[in-house]
Amino acid sequence: MTTKGQAPPENVLEVDDLWIEFRGGRRRAWSSRSVVRAVSGASLRLERGRTLGLVGESGSGKTTIGRAVLRLNTPKQGSITAAGFRVDHFRGAPPAGYRRAVQAVFQDPLGSLDPLMEVRQILAEPLRIHFDLDAGQRRARVRELLEMVGLSSAHLTRYPYELSGGQRQRVAIAKALAVDPQLVVLDEPVSALDVSVQSQIINLLDDIQRDRGISYLFIAHDLAVVRHASHEVAVMYRGRIMESGPADRVCGSPRHPYTRLLFDAAPNPVPRSMRPAHRARRFDLPLPEIGVDPTPAGCPFITRCPLRTAECATGFPTPTPVPAGGEIACFAADRVLKTTEIPTAPTKDAT
Ligand SMILES: Nc1ncnc2c1ncn2[C@@H]1O[C@H](COP(=O)(O)OP(=O)(O)OP(=O)(O)O)[C@@H](O)[C@H]1O
Ligand SMILES: [Mg+2]
């Protein structure tokens, strides 16, 4: 929030009206290939030095947005400006400046760390690509990076498989930090870790942010994790941003009927990637489908929303500001905003 006379805070990430589709597989031999609308008209803002949490059930489109920011998929429509680069304008390989400025950490560091490299080689590689350092300077920088993520020189000659899950994620974070990024996309960075290790890693990310002013796009399915790790939160459902705003307001006093349901339903919708392949449950909400078909243009939550009206099938609502901060995309906004506010519990901004 800015006060009069101050310059508005700078956004390190701006996503505007983003649409991303995938060609789906054929359901039946005789049917045509379906189109999966993974992201429909999403807009996001992330201020420098802050964390935006992106939360929602499995398949809601969180990873698809993260990958678009990283230029790992191509939007059908919309704009993405990350660290000053118009990502959606790139044709071919992104410029080196962008590759330095925007980094990523994924859920499974074993997948992103070369198994045949020792930690010191893993960390030296980005330094070699992006900076003109001699061998001695590079060694010093590698030690500095390890220290920054709470590891020691004892880990220099380890291979990824010799490390614990938490230590591997620390190495993945150090590798991302090696090039001095402005923005790090963290896609389920703690989902594979034990709860006690999860908070260590979140605290580490927090310390790094404080020291270096880095911004995070923090993707997670776990509401408690997102709440703890984020300044702002955006809630997704079937490709749409349903609600967004300050983490303490969204998590402590959710306004959108979907968000309320998500928070009531609670704790932990399990991401698809962590479920047994057979019988993946797509939705973890208690409210049953009510026999209303969602329309492509309409609100996707119409199938289970207790407040739906005929209007909800006609289009997707323009977001309405919430007095306590942020906004909701709901045709029933005037009704839901009249209900009493629920008291908030502490989040990242309150600490
Ligand atoms: N490469 C792809 N090809 C086809 N469909 C895809 C592809 N990637 C994602 N999808 C589909 O797009 C939708 C959004 O997927 P996405 O992985 O972004 O969800 P998510 O919110 O990250 O879910 P999770 O919590 O399980 O990680 C899903 O319906 C998914 O099946
Ligand atoms: Mg995902």
Side-chain angles (χ1 to χ4, degrees):
M1 201 105 14
T2 51
T3 49
K4 239 187 181 161
Q6 281 182 321
E10 188 194 349
N11 289 324
V12 75
L13 175 66
E14 291 186 7
V15 173
D16 278 300
D17 195 28
L18 186 69
W19 295 75
I20 301 173
E21 290 180 355
F22 296 108
R23 301 248 143 238
R26 263 180 289 187
R27 291 224 186 89
R28 297 187 182 83
W30 62 87
S31 69
S32 55
R33 284 181 181 280
S34 56
V35 170
V36 179
R37 296 204 159 139
V39 177
S40 305
S43 298
L44 298 169
R45 292 280 174 280
L46 169 57
E47 286 171 19
R48 193 170 291 284
R50 310 273 287 179
T51 301
L52 172 64
L54 199 51
V55 69
E57 291 161 89
S58 183
S60 55
K62 309 181 295 293
T63 294
T64 303
I65 291 187
R67 290 175 59 86
V69 172
L70 295 164
R71 192 58 189 143
L72 296 172
N73 60 34
T74 310
K76 183 186 169 210
Q77 189 188 311
S79 69
I80 301 172
T81 307
F85 291 87
R86 267 300 287 272
V87 177
D88 54 298
H89 283 177
F90 293 158
R91 296 287 170 264
Y98 161 83
R99 285 188 281 122
R100 270 187 56 182
V102 183
Q103 286 286 308
V105 173
F106 298 104
Q107 176 178 321
D108 171 24
L110 265 189
S112 51
L113 302 177
D114 188 330
L116 301 177
M117 283 189 181
E118 294 175 357
V119 167
R120 59 179 173 170
Q121 296 169 301
I122 290 171
L123 298 183
E125 194 179 52
L127 298 175
R128 194 172 294 121
I129 294 171
H130 289 280
F131 301 101
D132 189 22
L133 302 175
D134 66 36
Q137 288 169 320
R138 219 160 32 227
R139 270 198 301 276
R141 180 72 180 139
V142 166
R143 282 170 190 275
E144 202 183 312
L145 285 165
L146 270 185
E147 207 171 295
M148 209 181 288
V149 297
L151 296 175
S152 71
S153 49
H155 298 99
L156 280 170
T157 54
R158 304 272 178 81
Y159 289 94
Y161 73 87
E162 295 178 301
L163 301 172
S164 70
Q167 288 170 337
R168 275 200 292 269
Q169 205 53 301
R170 286 173 193 266
V171 173
I173 293 167
K175 187 183 167 196
L177 294 177
V179 296
D180 234 346
Q182 298 177 40
L183 167 65
V184 183
V185 176
L186 304 152
D187 192 347
E188 306 274 1
V190 300
S191 305
L193 305 175
D194 291 343
V195 173
S196 59
V197 184
Q198 287 189 345
S199 46
Q200 288 168 17
I201 297 292
I202 291 172
N203 291 341
L204 171 68
L205 289 168
D206 206 25
D207 291 345
I208 292 167
Q209 183 171 63
R210 270 172 224 247
D211 288 351
R212 307 173 50 134
I214 296 183
S215 317
Y216 300 132
L217 179 61
F218 191 105
I219 297 171
H221 65 282
D222 184 324
L223 300 169
V225 164
V226 165
R227 178 177 194 158
H228 181 49
S230 311
H231 298 103
E232 275 82 37
V233 169
V235 181
M236 289 191 78
Y237 183 69
R238 293 194 186 176
R240 295 282 191 180
I241 308 281
M242 309 301 264
E243 177 157 6
S244 61
D248 51 3
R249 205 283 295 154
V250 175
C251 301
S253 178
R255 301 281 90 191
H256 193 287
Y258 169 67
T259 321
R260 302 188 95 158
L261 201 59
L262 185 68
F263 278 72
D264 289 347
N268 276 330
V270 178
R272 193 178 41 245
S273 47
M274 292 172 72
R275 284 184 202 143
H278 66 286
R279 282 262 140 243
R281 262 205 312 156
R282 281 297 300 273
F283 300 105
D284 306 88
L285 295 178
L287 211 67
E289 299 264 355
I290 338 178
V292 184
D293 283 332
T295 55
C299 175
F301 191 53
I302 191 171
T303 58
R304 32 174 51 93
C305 184
L307 301 178
R308 73 187 176 284
T309 60
E311 192 181 19
C312 306
T314 61
F316 193 72
T318 309
T320 305
V322 175
E327 50 190 35
I328 55 172
C330 180
F331 284 117
D334 51 344
R335 277 190 282 160
V336 297
L337 292 177
K338 270 193 212 124
T339 53
T340 353
E341 301 279 319
I342 306 157
T344 59
T347 49
K348 182 163 169 149
D349 260 338
T351 52

